Amino acid sequence: MNSAASSRVPRHIAIIMDGNGRWAMQQGKPRLHGHEAGVHAARTIVRAGRDAGVEALTLYAFSSENWLRPATEVSFLLELFIRTMAVELDTLHDEGVRVRFIGDRTALPSNLLAIIEASERRTASNPGMVLVIALGYGGRQDLVQTVRALGAQIEAGALKAADLDEKTLRDALDLGDLPDPDLLIRTGGEYRISNFLLWHLAYTEFYFSDILWPDFSSADFHQALAWFAERERRFGRTGAQVHSERGDQDAQ
């Protein structure tokens, strides 16, 4: 890989961390053990992203559909989030990481809400990578809530329907203040986006890995970065237009 390609680090990476349950079954252990192992993988990849110069990393930790899982598994996952943030927050803060959560918080237990709010307050001014944790998040839910909020503004006379455009809608979404993901990584061998960031992934590069999430290493992450660096991102333009624009930039 040439030096120009190696310097093309995605500004924003989104990850669907899939395969915890299957990994545990392969180990002959309960599914819940896989979720604990997945936390260790997440810790490794957060550090790898920060060290690589990624500006924002969004992890799909718990989807709006995950509420339909068995109650024991849901309770375990929520408790795992609480324990993980209690352990990791000091380190993330010391490393300058800014922690944010997106998703519907209405069904979350009060002790988890307290940790979420404390984490966001404590790290709000940190200058480093933004770590976004999607918790109780669904892409369709995000769009519906945004449309409702904009509709309320129209009803109140604060916004005109004629003034609605893509930017207005995008800015009102959960990640409206961050650049759209340049790269989506999904582990576990599945080839779908599972209701994740539906608006934001319009021009994202998709990288699918057969590796189950607990086994996804820093080396695997860097392999995804290397793959991304070789991609030609056209955004609907032709290859000739892209190369022409690059030539103009080089001449400046």
Side-chain angles (χ1 to χ4, degrees):
M1 182 170 58
N2 59 44
S3 59
S6 64
S7 66
R8 295 180 60 213
V9 176
R11 294 183 63 194
H12 185 179
I13 298 176
I15 303 181
I16 300 176
M17 306 177 292
D18 193 19
N20 291 340
R22 282 173 286 156
W23 181 89
M25 292 176 65
Q26 289 180 4
Q27 308 295 314
K29 297 179 179 179
R31 283 178 54 85
L32 302 184
H33 182 77
H35 295 309
E36 290 187 322
V39 168
H40 296 294
R43 181 186 299 117
T44 296
I45 300 309
V46 168
R47 305 295 182 267
R50 183 207 61 190
D51 293 344
V54 174
E55 295 179 24
L57 178 66
T58 298
L59 303 180
Y60 203 11
F62 188 85
S63 74
S64 54
E65 291 75 23
N66 286 159
W67 289 110
L68 301 176
R69 290 187 177 185
T72 53
E73 184 173 356
V74 171
S75 296
F76 178 85
L77 285 169
L78 297 179
E79 179 60 32
L80 183 59
F81 294 138
I82 293 170
R83 289 192 281 115
T84 299
M85 289 309 302
V87 171
E88 297 293 331
L89 183 57
D90 285 345
T91 300
L92 291 169
H93 181 55
D94 291 343
E95 293 174 348
V97 174
R98 180 154 56 99
V99 180
R100 285 181 49 188
F101 289 81
I102 60 172
D104 184 5
R105 303 184 183 187
T106 56
L108 298 179
S110 58
N111 53 349
L112 178 53
L113 281 173
I115 287 183
I116 287 173
E117 293 166 1
S119 300
E120 291 180 328
R121 282 196 307 270
R122 186 176 177 192
T123 64
S125 299
N126 286 351
M129 184 181 77
V130 180
L131 173 61
V132 182
I133 301 172
L135 189 62
Y137 177 86
R140 291 178 176 177
Q141 165 193 289
D142 190 7
L143 286 166
V144 168
Q145 290 179 341
T146 298
V147 170
R148 284 177 176 169
L150 293 174
Q153 291 183 42
I154 292 172
E155 288 180 350
L159 179 68
K160 294 181 179 179
D163 292 335
L164 282 175
D165 55 19
E166 287 190 12
K167 184 179 185 304
T168 304
L169 180 56
R170 187 197 181 286
D171 289 351
L173 291 166
D174 266 343
L175 289 182
D177 59 329
L178 293 178
D180 288 340
D182 302 294
L183 173 64
L184 170 74
I185 299 172
R186 178 164 188 155
T187 63
E190 300 292 348
Y191 295 81
R192 57 180 180 270
I193 60 174
S194 297
N195 196 24
F196 187 39
L197 301 178
L198 297 181
W199 176 279
H200 313 78
L201 298 179
Y203 283 100
T204 300
E205 302 292 332
F206 288 8
Y207 181 87
F208 297 104
S209 171
D210 289 334
I211 299 170
L212 302 178
W213 177 248
D215 287 331
F216 196 75
S217 67
S218 177
D220 298 319
F221 179 76
H222 282 284
Q223 184 174 337
L225 296 189
W227 175 88
F228 174 84
E230 296 294 344
R231 299 292 298 164
E232 184 175 272
R233 308 191 71 205
R234 299 184 182 183
F235 299 98
R237 300 165 295 178
T238 67
Q241 288 173 317
V242 172
H243 289 300
S244 175
E245 290 175 10
R246 287 179 182 170
D248 291 343
Q249 292 170 359
D250 292 340
Q252 292 176 1

